[in-house]
Amino acid sequence: MKDTIMNLLDEWRIWVLIAVVALSLVALFRNPFASGVEVSNIDDGSPFSGKIQEGDRIVSINGKPIESQKDLMEFENHQGTLNVQTPGQGVVIVQTDGTGLGISVEKKSIVKLNFGMDLVGGTRVLLEPQFEEDLNSTQKGRVMDETITTLETRLNVFGLEEMEFERLSGAAGDYIQIEAAGIERSVVRELLERTGNFEAYIPRNVTFGNGTEADFVLGEEKYTLTRKDSGIYYNDKVLEVNDTFTVTVEEGHVDEIKDLNVTFEVWNKTDDSITLAALIYTSEDEDIKHVYKSGQDAYVRERTDKKTNFYEFRFKLLVSGEGAKRFALLTEGQPNLMHLFLDGEPVTQLGTDQLEGQVVREPWITGSRETKEQALEEMARLQSVLDSGELPVELKQVQMDSISPRLGEEMLRSSLIAGIGAVLAITILIFLIYRRVEIIVPVLLTSMSEVLIILGVASLINWTIDLAAIAGVIAAIGSSVDDQIVITSETIRKEEEDKKTKYSMKRRIKRAFFIVFTAAATTIMAMTVLGFVGIGMMRGFAITTIIGVLGGVLVTRPAYGRMLEEVL
């Protein structure tokens, strides 16, 4: 036995299996010491509002461990002080008046898997488009279709795969209903309420001093502001805060800049100065051509500032040529901060001194949050809104409520028991067929490894585990058993003219693997077609089956064949 184990540990195929299974376990159990519950929703007017945030964890209240919504409900009518223990903020003091807590929580799981609405429930949102008054029913329908397309892009970029969009029209009006699984209400609200209007400004301060005129320079030209009668004028138009005006630059400091329009907005004004913000990029003019989301163009890193640790996120944008020219024109000799806004709200500020006067097509967007998870989430939100573009119509949230799971934890437990029972039944069946005890261990290891690999990959790619995905796992196990039977039969088959020499065994294993790989290729091709043309649950079944078959032919089948060589 010892020699067998040592021989197997010298085999690279076994180490590949060990490494892939280990990585799958790490992906699955990212929170091995998780305890308590996670806040999923805080109602307006809740005593927890402003003290606890959605996504925060609660470990205990007044010394009592909180493991579920039921535990929290014991304090629903509490009057007085609640000592809320959280991992991040320590003890948070909350005063309650007995009218309810106004907070919902979910159990913090040590397993990182996204489950479908059938299993864990979800969130339902009803949105009312704010149409222009002169649109007819056909035009409204087109606007709603375009809005749904934009929302689908936005939510998919954020990683919310299981969603259902539905148009609702009737005498009461036109609405868009969205159902999403396993998502916090705050995330839905954040993504849906943003219209997606992105703007980038570079401000400059113009000072009059003791004179009545002040100039600002763009390219090779000067533009004059006049001060008279306690007002500031441009081209005889008085400028007030939030007013805008446009100038045309005929020639800049680089050849690309010719006849370029630049819009300014008045941000501030005093008796002897005015702050003008030049608009560089705007989604309204389709200046955002592409949003980078991976690799070296989008990442989160830990930083330290004055002994305080935080996480910075950075990602690139590809902007239009006109936007890049405006950037070069407005930063020439004017190093300043570029202010980014999304739906009128400030997002971040970027230093421009290192890029002064350059035509930059790929600027970086940066920001920071206290934790890595918060930084990743905020980066995903910004990327999703910028990538999807501006909504064609403003949306008003009419209703948001929770969807109860139709199957729930009982279904998960039943599936787990059924899976274990299936593996045991397969093991017994193979033993009865071949009457070889030494085959049982490789069969068990292979089957369990394939399940772990499927779940590990699903965790890494944030794939939703629903009924179809569970069916895909079962199908992958069935495919695994078929391949194990083929490999086992070919390995132990006796030939009269050729006794069990090492050469003949290898030859038979090669023949078995030809059958296995051919069957896997046909399965993957069929499932790929189903994945592309299928919708909803069919796509989930196809993706899960493909993951299982690929993990089998690339990792577990070669290791199984090597184990059989050693034990037989």
Side-chain angles (χ1 to χ4, degrees):
M1 176 62 72
K2 183 177 179 181
D3 292 339
T4 299
I5 294 175
M6 296 304 297
N7 290 337
L8 288 174
L9 292 179
D10 287 335
E11 174 60 45
W12 66 269
R13 287 171 288 186
I14 301 300
W15 280 108
V16 169
L17 175 62
I18 293 173
V20 173
V21 170
L23 290 174
S24 299
L25 288 172
V26 171
L28 275 173
F29 299 96
R30 300 185 207 178
N31 305 306
F33 306 107
S35 61
V37 293
E38 188 173 278
V39 178
S40 58
N41 180 63
I42 301 177
D43 296 336
D44 295 335
S46 167
F48 285 82
S49 181
K51 298 183 178 182
I52 298 290
Q53 305 296 323
E54 293 183 5
D56 287 350
R57 285 168 52 200
I58 295 177
V59 177
S60 65
I61 296 180
N62 288 354
K64 175 180 174 57
I66 303 298
E67 297 292 341
S68 65
Q69 182 74 33
K70 182 179 179 181
D71 294 336
L72 187 67
M73 290 300 293
E74 295 184 17
F75 299 92
E76 184 70 12
N77 299 318
H78 180 86
Q79 288 182 297
T81 301
L82 294 179
N83 297 313
V84 183
Q85 179 69 45
T86 67
Q89 305 178 53
V91 177
V92 177
I93 306 299
V94 178
Q95 298 292 336
T96 60
D97 58 7
T99 59
L101 301 180
I103 185 173
S104 300
V105 297
E106 296 176 351
K107 183 174 177 58
K108 188 70 174 178
S109 175
I110 64 173
V111 178
K112 182 66 173 67
L113 280 175
N114 298 325
F115 293 102
M117 281 186 286
D118 283 340
L119 302 176
V120 297
T123 300
R124 179 187 293 113
V125 186
L126 190 63
L127 304 170
E128 182 180 11
Q130 304 298 294
F131 296 113
E132 297 179 6
E133 294 182 358
D134 57 346
L135 295 183
N136 57 40
S137 59
T138 301
Q139 292 169 330
K140 288 180 179 180
R142 292 174 180 170
V143 171
M144 290 181 71
D145 288 339
E146 186 178 344
T147 301
I148 289 176
T149 300
T150 302
L151 291 175
E152 285 178 333
T153 302
R154 184 173 295 185
L155 295 175
N156 275 320
V157 170
F158 193 70
L160 307 179
E161 300 291 346
E162 188 183 5
M163 297 171 298
E164 297 178 6
F165 290 82
E166 185 177 359
R167 282 176 49 183
L168 303 177
S169 299
D174 298 292
Y175 300 92
I176 297 175
Q177 179 176 282
I178 304 173
E179 294 182 352
I183 176 175
E184 298 173 7
R185 292 188 178 192
S186 61
V187 174
V188 176
R189 190 181 301 117
E190 175 74 13
L191 292 174
L192 299 184
E193 289 184 352
R194 289 193 180 276
T195 59
N197 181 26
F198 174 76
E199 296 173 320
Y201 291 89
I202 291 183
R204 61 174 62 197
N205 196 53
V206 182
T207 304
F208 286 87
N210 295 324
T212 59
E213 293 185 350
D215 297 327
F216 64 93
V217 178
L218 289 179
E220 305 297 327
E221 303 177 40
K222 287 184 179 181
Y223 301 86
T224 302
L225 300 177
T226 304
R227 180 176 59 175
K228 60 182 179 180
D229 300 329
S230 300
I232 297 177
Y233 293 78
Y234 175 72
N235 284 348
D236 296 327
K237 175 187 176 182
V238 64
L239 299 178
E240 302 293 346
V241 175
N242 296 328
D243 283 350
T244 62
F245 64 93
T246 301
V247 302
T248 301
V249 181
E250 295 181 359
E251 187 174 353
H253 65 287
V254 293
D255 293 339
E256 295 97 322
I257 299 176
K258 292 183 182 298
D259 299 326
L260 187 65
N261 292 327
V262 180
T263 299
F264 287 91
E265 181 177 318
V266 180
W267 276 10
N268 192 28
K269 187 181 74 166
T270 65
D271 291 338
D272 60 354
S273 68
I274 188 170
T275 301
L276 303 176
L279 180 63
I280 302 178
Y281 314 128
T282 171
S283 58
E284 185 175 345
D285 293 337
E286 299 184 353
D287 284 329
I288 308 302
K289 299 300 183 182
H290 182 67
V291 180
Y292 294 92
K293 306 181 187 70
S294 61
Q296 297 180 346
D297 299 322
Y299 58 85
V300 170
R301 61 183 177 181
E302 187 176 9
R303 301 293 299 272
T304 302
D305 181 24
K306 296 180 181 180
K307 299 182 179 181
T308 301
N309 292 335
F310 64 95
Y311 287 85
E312 178 188 65
F313 63 83
R314 306 185 78 217
F315 65 93
K316 276 184 180 180
L317 299 177
L318 176 63
V319 300
S320 66
E322 292 293 302
K325 293 174 187 178
R326 285 194 293 268
F327 178 90
L329 176 69
L330 294 164
T331 57
E332 170 65 17
Q334 295 283 336
N336 208 331
L337 289 176
M338 180 166 61
H339 299 251
L340 306 184
F341 294 83
L342 193 59
D343 295 335
E345 299 179 4
V347 175
T348 188
Q349 299 177 1
L350 308 177
T352 64
D353 52 331
Q354 295 181 351
L355 302 173
E356 180 182 329
Q358 300 180 37
V359 178
V360 179
R361 290 293 305 275
E362 295 181 330
W364 285 94
I365 304 297
T366 64
S368 62
R369 291 293 184 270
E370 292 183 2
T371 67
K372 184 176 182 180
E373 290 75 17
Q374 291 172 344
L376 287 169
E377 184 174 294
E378 181 63 19
M379 181 171 71
R381 289 182 183 180
L382 292 176
Q383 289 172 321
S384 66
V385 175
L386 292 173
D387 189 57
S388 62
E390 190 171 354
L391 289 174
V393 65
E394 183 180 350
L395 297 175
K396 177 183 178 182
Q397 180 183 306
V398 178
Q399 184 178 347
M400 178 181 290
D401 52 24
S402 298
I403 306 172
S404 299
R406 290 185 283 271
L407 300 173
E409 294 184 1
E410 184 63 33
M411 177 64 187
L412 288 176
R413 282 193 294 267
S414 300
S415 299
L416 179 61
I417 293 172
I420 295 174
V423 171
L424 293 177
I426 290 168
T427 304
I428 294 172
L429 177 63
I430 291 179
F431 171 73
L432 293 175
I433 294 174
Y434 298 109
R435 304 288 180 176
R436 305 286 290 268
V437 177
E438 60 270 29
I439 297 177
I440 293 178
V441 173
V443 169
L444 281 173
L445 287 176
T446 303
S447 299
M448 299 306 295
S449 297
E450 290 194 10
V451 174
L452 287 174
I453 291 171
I454 293 172
L455 296 180
V457 173
S459 177
L460 283 175
I461 66 176
N462 290 320
W463 190 255
T464 300
I465 302 297
D466 53 12
L467 287 178
I470 292 174
V473 173
I474 296 173
I477 293 176
S479 174
S480 169
V481 173
D482 290 343
D483 293 344
Q484 288 172 352
I485 291 175
V486 170
I487 296 171
T488 304
S489 297
E490 287 293 327
T491 302
I492 66 176
R493 184 166 59 89
K494 294 182 179 181
E495 299 179 1
E496 292 182 2
E497 71 280 2
D498 190 1
K499 302 302 180 183
K500 297 177 183 179
T501 64
K502 188 173 183 180
Y503 171 79
S504 66
M505 180 175 288
K506 286 186 176 181
R507 186 179 64 190
R508 290 194 297 270
I509 289 178
K510 287 182 180 179
R511 186 162 54 241
F513 271 96
F514 174 79
I515 299 172
V516 168
F517 283 118
T518 302
T522 57
T523 301
I524 291 173
M525 289 177 63
M527 291 298 105
T528 300
V529 173
L530 184 61
F532 276 107
V533 302
I535 58 174
M537 297 183 71
M538 298 302 293
R539 183 177 291 118
F541 174 80
I543 295 296
T544 310
T545 303
I546 289 173
I547 293 173
V549 173
L550 282 176
V553 298
L554 297 178
V555 180
T556 60
R557 310 289 196 276
Y560 178 74
R562 181 63 185 89
M563 282 186 267
L564 282 186
E565 283 187 60
E566 195 62 39
V567 301
L568 292 180

